[in-house]
Amino acid sequence: ADGEGGSAASSSPPSRAGSKEGSRKRTSGGTAGKDQLRPPQPQQDFDARPSSKSGQRRSAAGSIKSKRAADGHGLLDPDDIEDEAIDRFIDELFVEYCACTDNSGKPLMNNPACRRFFRDFAIGNRESVIASADLHYADEIERQQDLHFRYDLTRGEAKRGLCCKAFVVLLNLAMPRGASRRTAREHFVTYAGDARAMREHLSGGNGGR
């Protein structure tokens, strides 16, 4: 009887708790095995950014051009454009409209080129702006000749036309109280920051050269 009892006890089914524990061990063991066999996934770098501000600006300009090409509308608020981008845009416009250079090849803007620039750049009341620019051009070209050494120019070079620094002074005199900056922002949006595209569109391709 004792033997039969012992045999019955040894052959009785395992408890439910034991079954669940064994099942969890088998499951976790199988998952670990699968994880070991799974090839490592490449990590995505979500912090990748352009390496410089200029890279960011080039990327933004490219994006603006693509969007404008897609729907034909300006998607950038002029007030959102960084001052550095506007400064660079004005410098690039200066280069586009210049018709002469100094002895080292740096661009200079003479009076006819200056008139062409303001004819294209000014928005509304162009004749008044051009007349003001003519008046201030005479003063600034004389000042540049007197202080030619400050602009790294000889006196003869200083007579040919305004350098970029002197031109920016003239621009702010001809269109005071921030008008030149606001206008530059409008053109920046219209032409996606492309100075050459602006000149070619408004001047018929050659800026009157």
Side-chain angles (χ1 to χ4, degrees), residues 96-99 110 112-113 116-117 119-120 199-200 202-209:
E96 286 296 323
Y97 281 87
C98 282
N110 58 23
R116 286 192 294 270
F117 168 81
R119 181 193 63 203
D120 292 347
R199 178 183 62 78
E200 290 179 347
L202 297 178
S203 297
N206 60 8
R209 297 179 184 179

Side-chain angles (χ1 to χ4, degrees), residues 135-170:
L135 179 63
H136 290 296
Y137 182 90
D139 293 336
E140 291 308 312
I141 198 73
E142 183 177 354
R143 189 192 316 277
Q144 180 176 269
Q145 292 178 58
D146 293 340
L147 303 174
H148 61 89
F149 53 90
R150 290 190 179 181
Y151 300 102
D152 196 24
L153 297 169
T154 66
R155 182 174 290 275
E157 291 172 327
K159 292 180 181 179
R160 298 177 195 171
L162 296 177
C163 68
C164 189
K165 289 181 180 179
F167 165 76
V168 170
V169 173
L170 166 64

Side-chain angles (χ1 to χ4, degrees), residues 40-175:
Q41 298 298 319
Q43 268 191 326
Q44 294 182 350
D45 186 2
F46 293 102
D47 293 329
R49 295 179 176 87
S51 59
S52 64
K53 288 186 178 180
S54 61
Q56 290 175 345
R57 289 193 294 267
R58 287 193 296 270
S59 177
S63 176
I64 294 166
K65 289 181 181 179
S66 299
K67 290 178 181 177
R68 287 182 58 82
D71 59 16
H73 297 288
L75 300 178
L76 186 66
D77 187 336
D79 293 331
D80 291 339
I81 306 169
E82 294 181 358
D83 288 339
E84 290 180 0
I86 296 301
D87 291 339
R88 190 179 70 256
F89 181 58
I90 292 173
D91 290 349
E92 290 171 355
L93 283 173
F94 169 80
V95 173
E96 286 296 323
Y97 281 87
C98 282
C100 56
T101 64
D102 65 12
N103 294 341
S104 63
K106 295 178 183 178
L108 298 172
M109 182 175 285
N110 58 23
N111 196 28
C114 185
R115 291 177 62 86
R116 286 192 294 270
F117 168 81
F118 281 102
R119 181 193 63 203
D120 292 347
F121 185 78
I123 299 176
N125 203 15
R126 285 185 174 85
E127 295 305 319
S128 175
V129 172
I130 291 173
S132 177
D134 280 341
L135 179 63
H136 290 296
Y137 182 90
D139 293 336
E140 291 308 312
I141 198 73
E142 183 177 354
R143 189 192 316 277
Q144 180 176 269
Q145 292 178 58
D146 293 340
L147 303 174
H148 61 89
F149 53 90
R150 290 190 179 181
Y151 300 102
D152 196 24
L153 297 169
T154 66
R155 182 174 290 275
E157 291 172 327
K159 292 180 181 179
R160 298 177 195 171
L162 296 177
C163 68
C164 189
K165 289 181 180 179
F167 165 76
V168 170
V169 173
L170 166 64
L171 176 60
N172 292 325
L173 290 172
M175 301 179 69

